[in-house]
Amino acid sequence: MFRSVARSAAGKNLLRRGYATAVPERKVAVLGAAGGIGQPLALLMKLNPLVSQLALYDIANTPGVAADVSHINSRSEVAGYVGEEQLGKALEGCDVVIIPAGVPRKPGMTRDDLFNINAGIVKGLCSAIAKYCPNALVNMISNPVNSTVPIAAEVFKKARTYDERKLCGVTTLDVVRAKTFYAGKAKVNVADVNVPVVGGHAGITILPLFSQATPKANLPEEDIKALTKRTQDGGTEVVEAKAGKGSATLSMAYAGAIFADACLKGLNGFPDVVECSFVQSTVTELPFFASKVRLGKNGVEEVLGLGPLSEYEKEGLESLKPELKSSIEKGIKFANQS
């Protein structure tokens, strides 16, 4: 991500001078910046030369994180904010707001178990976004994404600030995993691999389209099924490997930074910025769905179709719909409770 930015004329200028007036001023906020995802994400966003202001917010410990990150000799100025009374100041003037806030998943805990806690956190943060930076592009990381994105949409609708182009569920970690696992099995350079991942962001709702993977490897169906299962269970793999002492924080921070960088590139007018994201969609009969989207100056400029699917992927698509529909409806119901 950052290498590709640096290769651009703007990026080279930024890295040479540390600042470039030709590149737009962009304020990015990380909400939940003192957490397991938030801290490495704050570090990665500090390294991004497209960021001019970095606002780090959490309910505790943010001043230390902000002080630490602020010593890095990169473009952005860093400020830390603590508690609800400082949330508005953190959000004012933001172009992109990244939300990794919430509690992590623990062994035996499904993404759905996280719902009541994280849904409440997201609802409160989105109410503040609607008030202080209603035009910001929101990157939702807080799980369960299949429900928190619909919650955010309902909050914004109530505040009359909803723009479906400005709300994105971050499913990039599913893509990152699919690329990594595919490259290992196909024995190709992972840097050259592309694998679209569609559906949602939990369990069987995650559908990697290995039939569309490049470079083409013609893997046998049993390998495709195994790769699909591993991609779907990637979060559980990390939780179990950490023996209950953490979840996928570092890889999620990397994926979040990749997607935020794509959003910034789109806002700045870079051409052909395409990533997968969980957004309002008409690709299927479901109101929200993850697929490739084209990012631009207004956020999501175009939601792209699924393309040709294998029979296995067609079955997976139909299988995921009931669970994804239920998660979306649960989020909408929660958001509309008093």
Side-chain angles (χ1 to χ4, degrees):
M1 167 185 57
F2 305 108
R3 185 166 51 197
S4 66
V5 172
R7 281 178 182 155
S8 70
K12 287 177 181 177
N13 198 16
L14 280 164
L15 292 175
R16 184 167 59 248
R17 299 187 180 184
Y19 179 81
T21 55
V23 177
E25 299 282 314
R26 294 296 182 193
K27 180 178 177 181
V28 174
V30 179
L31 308 186
I37 297 170
Q39 290 199 41
L41 179 57
L43 169 64
L44 292 171
M45 296 315 298
K46 180 68 173 90
L47 296 176
N48 191 316
L50 299 181
V51 181
S52 58
Q53 287 181 269
L54 183 60
L56 305 180
Y57 170 83
D58 215 319
I59 57 173
N61 304 321
T62 341
V65 177
D68 195 357
V69 171
S70 72
H71 292 180
I72 295 169
N73 58 323
S74 59
R75 179 191 183 195
S76 56
E77 296 181 0
V78 182
Y81 302 91
V82 184
E84 288 187 22
E85 66 278 3
Q86 294 185 12
L87 179 55
K89 193 171 182 182
L91 292 172
E92 286 176 349
C94 277
D95 296 287
V96 177
V97 178
I98 314 171
I99 310 180
V103 299
R105 194 159 52 127
K106 297 175 182 177
M109 181 187 289
T110 66
R111 292 185 189 275
D112 201 47
D113 293 331
L114 300 177
F115 180 79
N116 286 327
I117 298 172
N118 289 352
I121 293 170
V122 166
K123 189 175 181 180
L125 293 174
C126 288
S127 294
I129 291 168
K131 181 177 180 180
Y132 294 104
C133 57
N135 296 316
L137 180 50
V138 177
N139 292 185
M140 184 67 69
I141 292 175
S142 302
N143 277 318
V145 166
N146 293 352
S147 297
T148 54
V149 169
I151 287 170
E154 292 300 307
V155 171
F156 296 148
K157 285 175 186 176
K158 283 186 178 179
R160 297 183 179 180
T161 64
Y162 183 54
D163 183 344
E164 66 270 21
R165 301 171 300 175
K166 300 291 183 73
L167 176 59
C168 297
V170 179
T171 61
T172 313
L173 182 52
D174 302 325
V175 177
V176 166
R177 286 172 172 151
K179 288 179 177 181
T180 301
F181 303 156
Y182 178 86
K185 183 62 71 174
K187 294 181 170 47
V188 294
N189 184 351
V190 69
D192 298 329
V193 170
N194 191 24
V195 183
V197 182
V198 304
H201 184 56
I204 67 161
T205 70
I206 300 168
L207 183 61
L209 303 182
F210 289 114
S211 70
Q212 298 178 23
T214 55
K216 197 78 173 171
N218 295 315
L219 296 174
E221 187 170 346
E222 58 265 28
D223 286 350
I224 296 297
K225 289 181 177 179
L227 288 171
T228 298
K229 185 78 165 80
R230 191 179 179 199
T231 303
Q232 292 172 339
D233 294 341
T236 301
E237 182 179 318
V238 175
V239 169
E240 290 177 351
K242 290 188 176 182
K245 296 180 180 178
S247 58
T249 53
L250 301 176
S251 53
M252 184 63 250
Y254 169 76
I258 289 282
F259 189 76
D261 178 67
C263 290
L264 289 165
K265 286 178 179 176
L267 291 175
N268 287 357
F270 282 67
D272 300 319
V273 181
V274 176
E275 294 286 342
C276 291
S277 181
F278 186 68
V279 297
Q280 182 173 312
S281 174
T282 58
V283 167
T284 70
E285 65 273 23
L286 300 174
F288 293 91
F289 197 81
S291 65
K292 288 182 181 179
V293 301
R294 191 179 309 280
L295 297 163
K297 293 184 177 181
N298 296 303
V300 176
E301 301 282 5
E302 183 182 6
V303 179
L304 304 176
L306 298 178
L309 305 181
S310 68
E311 287 303 314
Y312 176 67
E313 290 161 357
K314 289 177 183 176
E315 292 172 7
L317 177 61
E318 293 309 312
S319 295
L320 71 81
K321 287 179 181 178
E323 183 169 324
L324 183 52
K325 181 174 184 286
S326 176
S327 296
I328 292 169
E329 289 175 347
K330 190 172 184 179
I332 293 170
K333 182 179 178 181
F334 180 90
N336 289 317
Q337 292 172 350
S338 57

